Amino acid sequence: MHTPRVCKILKVESEAENIKTIYFKDRRTSSRIIPGQFIMVWIPGLDEIPMGVSHTGLNSELAITVEAVGEATEKLCSLKEGDVIGVRGPYGRGFSPPGLNNLIIGGGTGMAPLMPLIELCVREKINVNVLLGGRSLNKTPFIKKLRDIFNPKLECFKVTTEDGSYGCRGFVTDLLDEIISKNSFDRIYACGPELMLKKIYDYCTEKKLPLEVSLERYIKCGIGICGSCYIGSYRVCADGPVFKIAELEKIRNILGEWTRDSSGRLIQL
Amino acid sequence: MNFLETALGSIKLDNPLIIASGVLGTTAEGIKLLYEKGAGAVVTKTTTLSSKPGYANPTVVSTPSGLLNSMGLPNPGIEEMSREVASACCEGVPVIGSVAGSSISEFIEVAKRFEDVGVIGVELNISCPHERVGLIGQDCRLTYQVVKSVKDSVKIPVIVKLTPNVTNIVEIALEAVKAGADALTAINTVKGMVIDVNTGYPILSNKFGGLSGPAIKPIAVRCVYEIYASEVKVPIIGVGGISNWRDALEFLMAGACAVQIGTSLMKGYQVIEKIKKGLTGYMKKNKLKKLNQIIGISHKRC
Ligand SMILES: Cc1cc2nc3c(=O)[nH]c(=O)nc-3n(C[C@H](O)[C@H](O)[C@H](O)COP(=O)(O)OP(=O)(O)OC[C@H]3O[C@@H](n4cnc5c(N)ncnc54)[C@H](O)[C@@H]3O)c2cc1C
Ligand SMILES: Cc1cc2nc3c(=O)[nH]c(=O)nc-3n(C[C@H](O)[C@H](O)[C@H](O)COP(=O)(O)O)c2cc1C
């Protein structure tokens, strides 16, 4: 069961600079996955790494969106149609189902696991507001996909870039006050760099808002036994990767401050 | 009344369920949670003098009735691990420090550092099938040397964890006891391999790994039984494939005073309380008062 299932790559799309979306089919994952859960992607002979699922389509079609940041992700980004990867999962606890009015906040590739949630909201005509943050137009994934999904007049999709090359200049967190004062959300979902998540956490704690975030730690087994991905007493792979605000309260001193490397050594973020 | 108290020589345990090394016992908070969830004691991840990143992923792959792992002993090194362990020991958690090293002096140093922070004992990992330390436990002379050296350097009980990957496990057990081992743990994982037939690649990055889970239980029970039947008279901790109270009972009957669980924690922490409840129920139903009344009884049945 926890053995990689080898899948052929159906299609590779360039999503942004150094970011690719890779399409493949895996029936087991597609029939079980809840938005926010992750899979372990095996690159035969090289590595196996955790990845969010960024699209769930018809006929067991799935996609991952990968940013090249090191050896394994660079290799993944260089793969072509017809090449193979292995996948096992889906693993972990995903996001809770959307409420009546939802806010989704993604930073860079952190938007990946949130994409199926947006797809779900749009498909079911559930109210959803999306904030996407990135460094610049060229480096921010999903802009085109989200623009295609949303009607620009509805004002429910906003982008920020650090250099102002697209959308508003600045950080997604700069838009929080405005969007939250104008709406009443019964779910706020976020994924992205941990410092961004920490800011959102602090904001939502102060305003008592129902936040859920997806976190990252060094994942090895993916099934909750090896103890590599602890954050406090939570195992990111089995108890997360999605955590609710009440759970984040217990790890607020670690959030945005500390992570652990492959050996388990503490590292300042 | 607590029906489940047990002892490993001078180590007294509230219940015989110990968390096996390498399964979640990597940080202070992880260790504390395992104790809160009902474990009698927690063995730490095997620790070496300096930090080790472990092997590249894939480090774990499953087979129909077991799990094959080749983590490569990732650990932050004794300096950081002793801080994590100190924090758990301070709160009264019974922790056993798992020790490995690439030299005798490293074994001694790591064991002493564990002793300094208040562990109830150390467990020498001379049995990891995918690591060089595993070679120690396959050789009588090396086993004697390592165990004796550590024994001469610490005052706390020294437990020796044995490998099943030998022709005669009793021979190694005897050597460990001759060198002063206070207790034995049997068994570490069984060396194995999985190949992906679509690509021809061995799945684990290290090619070979150690098999755990239900697949190895009969091997582990046999090992405990053989050691108990030999001249070895120190307490035995049984481990390998325990996932319910009947499995645990089987090990006790074979001669184990306590058991460890690892892979079955994959199903959730509640497995700990379930096994304890099952064992307590068995004791009551059979009007037994102490685990001593069942430990090793299989040896009287033939
Ligand atoms: C639940 C989860 C979901 C993720 N989803 C996505 C996604 O959708 N898209 C995406 O581009 N990235 C995602 N990541 C991050 C991705 O796993 C890492 O970028 C990748 O593992 C880096 O590997 P590398 O060999 O390319 O880089 P390296 O050079 O090995 O490392 C670069 C960074 O990635 C981290 N990393 C390396 N291996 C792992 C590992 N096994 N687990 C966690 N972190 C690791 C390192 O600590 C380091 O900070 C996710 C991570 C987690 C935990
Ligand atoms: C993921 C994993 C990591 C392990 N790491 C260690 C380790 O660091 N040191 C050690 O002595 N044994 C280690 N083991 C072996 C276990 O402690 C135990 O002996 C073995 O898994 C058999 O028990 P089980 O079937 O209940 O898991 C590990 C086992 C697993 C599954």
Side-chain angles (χ1 to χ4, degrees), chain A residues 2-3 48 227 230 262-263 265, chain B residues 24 26 51-53 57 62 75:
Chain A
H2 308 295
T3 307
E48 186 187 43
Y230 274 123
S262 172
S263 73
R265 269 193 342 217
Chain B
L24 294 177
T26 54
S51 75
K52 270 163 73 87
N57 277 350
S62 74
N75 78 88

Side-chain angles (χ1 to χ4, degrees), chain B residues 41-270:
Chain B
V42 180
V43 186
T44 67
K45 174 74 198 171
T46 295
T47 304
T48 48
L49 194 54
S50 18
S51 75
K52 270 163 73 87
Y55 295 124
N57 277 350
T59 42
V60 165
V61 61
S62 74
T63 70
S65 59
L67 197 73
L68 194 71
N69 91 82
S70 177
M71 305 304 301
L73 301 185
N75 78 88
I78 189 64
E79 177 78 32
E80 261 196 61
M81 184 58 104
S82 57
R83 256 179 271 142
E84 303 278 344
V85 169
S87 149
C89 291
C90 280
E91 293 183 20
V93 180
V95 181
I96 296 169
S98 173
V99 177
S102 50
S103 64
I104 288 186
S105 58
E106 203 180 323
F107 267 93
I108 295 174
E109 176 71 15
V110 174
K112 281 168 122 175
R113 299 285 294 274
F114 270 133
E115 179 174 43
D116 289 346
V117 293
V119 298
I120 58 169
V122 286
E123 184 181 82
L124 306 185
N125 177 359
I126 54 166
S127 43
C128 211
H130 45 78
E131 281 297 302
R132 282 181 57 87
V133 287
L135 299 175
I136 300 170
Q138 293 177 323
D139 183 290
C140 287
R141 200 176 51 90
L142 290 175
T143 299
Y144 181 87
Q145 281 178 355
V146 170
V147 177
K148 178 87 172 66
S149 310
V150 175
K151 231 353 240 185
D152 288 346
S153 315
V154 297
K155 296 192 189 65
I156 51 174
V158 173
I159 304 164
V160 178
K161 187 168 180 181
L162 303 174
T163 174
N165 305 307
V166 289
T167 316
N168 182 0
I169 196 167
V170 171
E171 199 178 88
I172 306 283
L174 281 168
E175 213 61 40
V177 172
K178 205 166 81 189
D182 299 285
L184 301 173
T185 300
I187 56 176
N188 210 315
T189 51
V190 180
K191 193 169 182 175
M193 180 174 199
V194 174
I195 292 172
D196 172 60
V197 295
N198 296 291
T199 58
Y201 276 95
I203 294 180
L204 298 177
S205 75
N206 182 52
K207 300 189 187 79
F208 310 120
L211 188 64
S212 61
I216 69 165
K217 197 189 70 178
I219 300 173
V221 171
R222 181 267 299 172
C223 288
V224 169
Y225 189 96
E226 280 185 344
I227 297 167
Y228 189 88
S230 74
E231 303 95 278
V232 170
K233 291 301 163 239
V234 300
I236 307 165
I237 304 170
V239 48
I242 296 173
S243 49
N244 58 47
W245 67 269
R246 286 173 187 277
D247 295 338
L249 185 61
E250 200 176 336
F251 277 90
L252 297 173
M253 288 180 164
C257 300
V259 296
Q260 293 180 357
I261 54 169
T263 305
S264 64
L265 279 164
M266 214 166 91
K267 289 186 259 163
Y269 296 107
Q270 69 279 9

Side-chain angles (χ1 to χ4, degrees), chain A residues 5-259:
Chain A
R5 298 175 293 275
V6 170
C7 324
K8 253 203 185 92
I9 293 174
L10 302 174
K11 186 170 70 170
V12 180
E13 270 175 13
S14 182
E15 194 66 60
E17 211 174 288
N18 284 327
I19 304 177
K20 296 268 169 72
T21 295
I22 300 171
Y23 293 83
F24 57 95
K25 278 186 184 181
D26 178 50
R27 180 167 315 152
R28 188 180 167 94
T29 303
S30 80
S31 64
R32 285 159 211 257
I33 191 150
I34 291 167
Q37 284 187 305
F38 70 97
I39 54 176
M40 292 300 288
V41 177
W42 180 43
I43 308 144
L46 186 64
D47 205 344
E48 186 187 43
I49 55 173
M51 280 284 138
V53 169
S54 62
H55 167 71
T56 56
L58 296 174
N59 300 322
S60 316
E61 192 180 273
L62 299 162
I64 52 174
T65 299
V66 188
E67 175 167 10
V69 297
E71 204 183 359
T73 45
E74 267 161 27
K75 176 77 190 173
L76 266 182
C77 284
S78 75
L79 295 181
K80 304 269 171 300
E81 182 184 327
D83 289 342
V84 296
I85 52 173
V87 305
R88 57 184 178 99
Y91 292 132
R93 190 181 55 166
F95 295 110
S96 32
L100 290 175
N101 198 15
N102 306 281
L103 174 61
I104 291 180
I105 311 168
T109 29
M111 189 54 109
L114 292 162
M115 289 298 287
L117 197 61
I118 299 173
E119 287 172 349
L120 173 85
C121 289
V122 170
R123 202 166 54 234
E124 313 258 315
K125 301 201 175 8
I126 298 169
N127 218 340
V128 59
N129 294 256
V130 175
L131 301 181
L132 169 64
R135 269 165 290 168
S136 66
L137 172 62
N138 295 338
K139 292 192 171 129
T140 310
F142 306 118
I143 293 182
K144 185 176 171 326
K145 285 201 173 85
L146 288 168
R147 230 172 25 198
D148 290 348
I149 292 181
F150 287 106
N151 179 337
K153 288 190 204 104
L154 291 179
E155 241 198 337
C156 44
F157 171 45
K158 286 211 165 135
V159 180
T160 61
T161 50
E162 286 167 39
D163 66 357
S165 52
Y166 188 84
C168 317
R169 182 193 211 101
F171 298 97
V172 267
T173 42
D174 302 340
L175 302 182
L176 278 180
D177 250 338
E178 190 197 334
I179 192 151
I180 281 168
S181 62
K182 279 195 200 151
N183 293 273
S184 141
F185 294 112
D186 43 13
R187 292 266 193 287
I188 300 175
Y189 306 94
C191 182
E194 201 157 309
L195 290 170
M196 168 192 125
L197 298 178
K198 170 74 170 163
K199 266 195 194 166
I200 299 175
Y201 165 76
D202 287 340
Y203 185 91
C204 291
T205 303
E206 200 197 308
K207 305 242 149 130
K208 298 200 169 28
L209 297 167
L211 174 71
E212 297 184 9
V213 309
S214 177
L215 298 179
E216 287 186 11
R217 282 298 178 269
Y218 206 105
I219 292 180
K220 295 188 178 181
C221 74
I223 51 180
I225 57 160
C226 80
S228 159
C229 64
Y230 274 123
I231 176 161
S233 62
Y234 299 124
R235 300 158 300 170
V236 168
C237 76
D239 304 315
V242 174
F243 294 96
K244 299 192 170 73
I245 196 156
E247 293 159 335
L248 295 173
E249 162 79 28
K250 295 197 188 125
I251 51 171
R252 66 172 194 282
N253 296 328
I254 308 171
L255 195 66
E257 300 283 342
W258 297 100
T259 186

